[in-house]
Amino acid sequence: MIKRLLFCALACVTFLTATADEGMWLPNMIKSRIKEMRKMGFKLKADDIYSDTKASLKDAVVQFGGGCTGEFISPEGLLLTNHHCGYSSIQMLSSVEHDYLTDGFWAMSRSEELPVPGLTVTMLVKMEEVTARLAAGESEEAIIEEAKEKYNADKAEIEPIYYGNQQVLYVYRTFRDVRLVGAPPSSIGKFGGDTDNWVWPRHTGDFSIFRVYANADNEPAEYSEENVPYRPARHFKVSTKGVEEGDFTMIYGFPGNTQEYVTADAVEYVAEVSNPMKIALRTIRLDIISEAQSKDVATRIAYAAKHANIANAWKKWQGESLGLDKLGTVEKKKEYEKAFAAWAADKPQYANLLDKMHDAYEEVIPHYFARELFNESILGMEFFNYAYWFYIYDARGEKLTADKQAEARRIYLNDYRKEIDHAISRRLLSEYIARMPKEKVPSQLTAAINEHGSAEAFVDYMFANTRLLTEYPLTREKYLEDPMVKFAGWFYNTLQDNRKYAYRNLSNVPEIEMWYRTYMQALREWDKERAFYPDANFTLRVAYGIVTGYENADGEYHTHLTTLDGIIAKDNPEIYDYDIPQALRDIYKSKDYGRWAIEHNGKKSVPVCFLASNHTTGGNSGSPVLNGKGELIGINFDRTWRSTMSDIEFDPSICRNISVDIRYVLFVMDRIGGAGYLLEEMGVK
């Protein structure tokens, strides 16, 4: 029996061993990968990627807005990221009179650049493993404070890797004066919308341009007209030579979340429980919002960012579940775990470890699911957070002045449409009641639904009788009697309980995660041939691969490059997401591509997007895609739909990241935006 299991282990290791294209590696530990990278076409050294003593590529990479990546492309703080990363900023600055989402925006001078309130750019100053220091008795607080003072930093944190087997210190500086420089029309920057999201072939010019400003000493500063463009220690040189099949590529960015080492219990939960619920509830919201947007331009603008935020994960989860099912990931994990258990059976520190992990999952899953369901249903009602604000601040004994209420309205009711929220809330409360175990539903809510006859009728009652959405300011007597505030207050205990399970993934809940530290130790001791890389956690990482297509289905090979011809084929003036600017049609008709022309399939065209085999995830949006010389050749913005399961299992045969070709970015800046001066600033000749 043991021999059979060990034989199975060898087969499973093939599935679980990191390939040349797999992995998100710590840049300060990249020396271990350089030999392999050089074989694939990398020309630089490890300290060109990361260095504490000289300017390196890491100094050109930033975390944009807290959830994306960006890169410096000039010595004067010019920054590239994705259009979808800058989308909320562009939407915030837009109005019916100045619809930058539809029309695009191009500053023709520094004075025309638009400040974006609240937008930040964060730069890594230093990273260092501190496992030994912590083991020697130093406190996290002492290490962090010492680092902040030493590097004149406003932020430092210690993040665990390998489930706490190692600890890494990250030191950051945050810049708060960030201004919009340029953005293509959404019909370029978001071309294809939700329909094309996560799919290939792709024709999206997913980029936007910002500039970081600093004070006269090149230090972070709040917005001021006296600030000057930040002078980065390093910026990327742009290559216009293009990409070919087999070319080396490197992604440098801040990937957010992967779960490569979780057990079958976790994968089953994602694929069979969590994703189906979240997809169903988000479909409800998207259908209602889309219908309202189709009827009114102002509503389309107001809900553009909200719709995009809901839809992005919604479609990703669908592809993830499909990919996990097609790969048979759950069964592979189970076989791998059987082999591990056989190896661990005579080792007291590891024997029965998987049983303990399984028991922990069974204990935690009902509570974690309740939290996820609450987030997708109750928190999907826009009024809820506004109503809860009144409840919780009053419970704390704070006087809610008119000024405080005005600020709350600005935050919680920004671009709000009562009729949309009403329609969504009716459906979501019904779903919450149908899916949530009865013992977890607040008793007051159960009583209210029984009184009114249904969840929908109770929502109708709240919207008909609330003053919260229509009157301002409210007296304490009025808001405490408001049905929406009462409703929000019923979930006080739910929210307190949910905080116990507010972790990035199910497997990060402490009752489960406590076992993973030992499990990772055991795996690294047992599976000697496996290349273990840390799961992503929104810290700076390097991934590398090659430009390449893939076989999507039997007899259906997807090549690595798309062109302007594909945009024209999809062009449709009747559909907002496919209604390209007339200027783009005119250029295509005349074939006047100038310096941006390429020969593709025997025709003259312009490159748009390309595929590569880099391991990416959320947070890598906006990441620079570099060639073997460390030059910028594209901006990462997506994965193919069947690649979305790579957060859990990376399959080198089909996992591909999608990037906008830097030549298309330059073409749009030059020929559509008329912002050729920016190319000069970037040193593009």
Side-chain angles (χ1 to χ4, degrees):
M1 179 64 179
I2 291 177
K3 287 183 178 179
R4 286 202 305 272
L5 288 171
L6 290 175
F7 175 79
C8 174
L10 294 175
C12 293
V13 165
T14 301
F15 134 67
L16 288 166
T17 297
T19 67
D21 304 325
E22 182 181 0
M24 300 173 181
W25 307 95
L26 297 180
N28 67 333
M29 302 178 187
I30 200 65
K31 284 183 179 180
S32 64
R33 313 305 302 177
I34 286 295
K35 186 176 181 180
E36 182 180 284
M37 293 169 70
R38 286 187 174 279
K39 288 179 181 177
M40 297 171 66
F42 188 60
K43 307 296 183 184
L44 305 180
K45 298 179 295 183
D47 65 355
D48 292 316
I49 295 175
Y50 178 94
S51 175
D52 289 325
T53 59
K54 69 173 187 176
S56 59
L57 296 181
K58 68 100 171 160
D59 298 305
V61 184
V62 304
Q63 191 170 62
F64 181 87
C68 285
T69 302
E71 54 271 5
F72 287 117
I73 51 171
S74 89
E76 296 183 87
L78 199 64
L79 187 76
L80 271 181
T81 189
N82 287 151
H83 185 269
H84 77 259
C85 293
Y87 198 73
S88 60
S89 298
I90 302 166
Q91 188 262 338
M92 179 196 305
L93 298 170
S94 293
S95 64
V96 174
E97 294 77 22
H98 299 286
D99 187 355
Y100 301 137
L101 291 177
T102 298
D103 303 327
F105 171 81
W106 302 96
M108 293 302 167
S109 67
R110 300 279 168 85
S111 63
E112 293 183 2
E113 296 174 358
L114 300 178
V116 186
L119 180 60
T120 61
V121 161
T122 303
M123 303 174 200
L124 178 69
V125 178
K126 165 82 172 178
M127 61 184 300
E128 174 189 353
E129 185 177 355
V130 293
T131 311
R133 293 175 64 182
L134 290 169
E138 288 190 66
S139 70
E140 286 195 17
E141 292 78 8
I143 293 173
I144 286 171
E145 290 306 313
E146 176 191 322
K148 288 168 66 175
E149 182 177 353
K150 181 177 180 180
Y151 296 104
N152 189 25
D154 63 314
K155 178 183 175 184
E157 55 194 14
I158 295 174
E159 293 286 350
I161 58 174
Y162 302 117
Y163 288 94
N165 282 285
Q166 293 172 245
Q167 306 283 338
V168 181
L169 169 71
Y170 297 87
V171 187
Y172 300 101
R173 305 184 80 196
T174 303
F175 288 74
R176 303 183 186 281
D177 186 351
V178 186
R179 307 180 194 181
L180 178 64
V181 176
S186 288
S187 54
I188 289 177
K190 200 172 180 287
F191 182 79
D194 295 331
T195 303
D196 283 6
N197 194 19
W198 300 106
V199 300
W200 185 264
R202 197 68 173 275
H203 301 87
T204 310
D206 198 347
F207 76 93
S208 55
I209 312 166
F210 293 79
R211 193 184 303 277
V212 178
Y213 280 74
N215 64 20
D217 296 322
N218 209 36
E219 298 291 331
E222 297 294 332
Y223 169 78
S224 168
E225 292 184 2
E226 303 301 316
N227 287 345
V228 295
Y230 173 68
R231 302 182 301 279
R234 183 75 176 259
H235 68 276
F236 289 117
K237 178 182 177 182
V238 173
S239 171
T240 59
K241 293 180 180 178
V243 298
E244 300 291 343
E245 182 87 20
D247 284 355
F248 175 87
T249 57
M250 186 177 94
I251 297 278
Y252 212 159
F254 291 85
N257 182 29
T258 57
Q259 308 177 70
E260 299 291 337
Y261 308 107
V262 293
T263 64
D265 294 286
V267 183
E268 281 184 312
Y269 174 76
V270 167
E272 300 175 15
V273 179
S274 176
N275 282 359
M277 177 273 291
K278 293 186 291 188
I279 292 164
L281 269 60
R282 290 204 176 194
T283 299
I284 291 170
R285 295 165 68 191
L286 290 170
D287 287 348
I288 293 171
I289 291 172
S290 296
E291 183 179 2
Q293 286 180 306
S294 69
K295 297 176 180 178
D296 179 65
V297 173
T299 299
R300 174 179 56 75
I301 295 171
Y303 274 73
K306 295 176 185 178
H307 187 284
N309 288 337
I310 297 167
N312 191 49
W314 166 78
K315 193 166 185 179
K316 184 259 186 184
W317 292 326
Q318 294 175 61
E320 181 177 68
S321 292
L322 178 65
L324 293 172
D325 180 62
K326 286 193 171 184
L327 289 176
T329 304
V330 171
E331 290 307 313
K332 290 181 189 176
K333 290 273 187 181
K334 287 180 177 179
E335 292 301 314
Y336 187 75
E337 289 159 24
K338 285 180 184 177
F340 169 79
W343 171 84
D346 61 350
K347 299 171 179 61
Q349 69 273 38
Y350 303 138
N352 303 315
L353 177 59
L354 288 171
D355 293 333
K356 294 173 183 176
M357 296 174 76
H358 176 74
D359 291 344
Y361 275 110
E362 286 199 330
E363 175 66 28
V364 167
I365 280 175
H367 306 290
Y368 195 82
F369 175 79
R371 172 182 170 269
E372 290 200 303
L373 176 57
F374 175 84
N375 290 347
E376 294 296 329
S377 56
I378 304 302
L379 291 188
M381 306 174 190
E382 287 188 79
F383 76 82
F384 181 86
N385 282 320
Y386 182 50
Y388 191 74
W389 179 86
F390 279 89
Y391 174 84
I392 197 66
Y393 273 82
D394 187 83
R396 293 172 182 168
E398 296 196 25
K399 185 177 180 180
L400 302 186
T401 63
D403 287 345
K404 285 184 178 180
Q405 291 186 42
E407 178 66 7
R409 289 180 70 84
R410 186 190 68 78
I411 294 171
Y412 295 112
L413 299 183
N414 182 42
D415 293 322
Y416 179 77
R417 300 292 187 272
K418 181 179 178 180
E419 63 278 7
I420 294 176
D421 195 21
H422 186 172
I424 288 174
S425 298
R426 293 180 94 249
R427 295 288 308 279
L428 291 187
L429 188 60
S430 296
E431 291 289 333
Y432 170 83
I433 293 298
R435 294 170 183 267
M436 185 66 76
K438 288 182 173 56
E439 66 273 12
K440 290 185 176 293
V441 177
S443 59
Q444 304 97 318
L445 177 58
T446 301
I449 291 173
N450 290 337
E451 177 185 348
H452 291 276
S454 68
E456 292 94 335
F458 174 60
V459 170
D460 293 343
Y461 163 78
M462 284 197 293
F463 274 85
N465 292 277
T466 186
R467 293 175 173 177
L468 210 62
L469 306 178
T470 55
E471 294 184 24
Y472 154 79
L474 290 171
T475 65
R476 184 172 187 267
E477 180 182 9
K478 285 183 178 180
Y479 68 68
L480 286 182
E481 288 302 312
D482 192 275
M484 287 186 172
V485 175
K486 288 183 176 181
F487 172 80
W490 296 340
F491 288 94
Y492 175 81
N493 289 333
T494 299
L495 283 163
Q496 303 313 304
D497 290 341
N498 283 355
R499 287 193 178 93
K500 300 175 185 176
Y501 303 99
Y503 294 90
R504 191 165 62 246
N505 300 306
L506 168 65
S507 301
N508 298 119
V509 175
E511 292 89 337
I512 296 174
E513 189 177 55
M514 61 181 288
W515 300 109
Y516 270 101
R517 183 168 186 175
T518 303
Y519 185 53
M520 287 302 302
Q521 291 173 348
L523 288 184
R524 295 168 85 176
E525 183 178 333
W526 167 58
D527 197 348
K528 300 289 189 182
E529 299 301 314
R530 187 172 182 179
F532 288 91
Y533 52 90
D535 275 327
N537 59 357
F538 277 114
T539 60
L540 194 60
R541 302 293 178 89
V542 171
Y544 55 92
I546 59 171
V547 174
T548 181
Y550 70 104
E551 186 175 12
N552 184 58
D554 184 36
E556 181 186 331
Y557 187 81
H558 285 178
T559 58
H560 72 278
L561 189 70
T562 59
T563 68
L564 182 57
D565 297 67
I567 294 177
I568 299 301
K570 293 179 179 179
D571 179 28
N572 187 339
E574 302 300 318
I575 302 176
Y576 179 78
D577 288 330
Y578 293 96
D579 183 15
I580 65 173
Q582 185 60 42
L584 196 55
R585 297 187 186 106
D586 294 341
I587 292 172
Y588 179 78
K589 185 176 181 180
S590 69
K591 300 295 188 289
D592 181 20
Y593 304 141
R595 63 188 294 190
W596 311 113
I598 64 167
E599 288 293 326
H600 183 70
N601 293 335
K603 293 191 298 182
K604 188 172 160 183
S605 195
V606 176
V608 176
C609 295
F610 65 88
L611 289 174
S613 60
N614 303 100
H615 194 173
T616 63
T617 187
N620 275 128
S621 291
S623 292
V625 186
L626 310 174
N627 63 18
K629 297 179 181 178
E631 299 168 332
L632 188 67
I633 56 174
I635 312 169
N636 180 76
F637 70 91
D638 209 350
R639 286 173 282 173
T640 57
W641 205 36
R642 290 180 63 192
S643 299
T644 55
M645 81 298 179
S646 64
D647 291 349
I648 294 173
E649 179 183 354
F650 184 91
D651 182 347
S653 69
I654 61 171
C655 285
R656 299 291 181 268
N657 65 298
I658 306 174
S659 305
V660 56
D661 195 303
I662 198 64
R663 294 171 293 176
Y664 186 55
V665 173
L666 300 174
F667 165 80
V668 172
M669 291 167 64
D670 182 21
R671 302 299 299 277
I672 304 299
Y677 79 97
L678 292 174
L679 276 65
E680 294 180 16
E681 180 181 333
M682 295 160 60
V684 176
K685 299 178 181 179

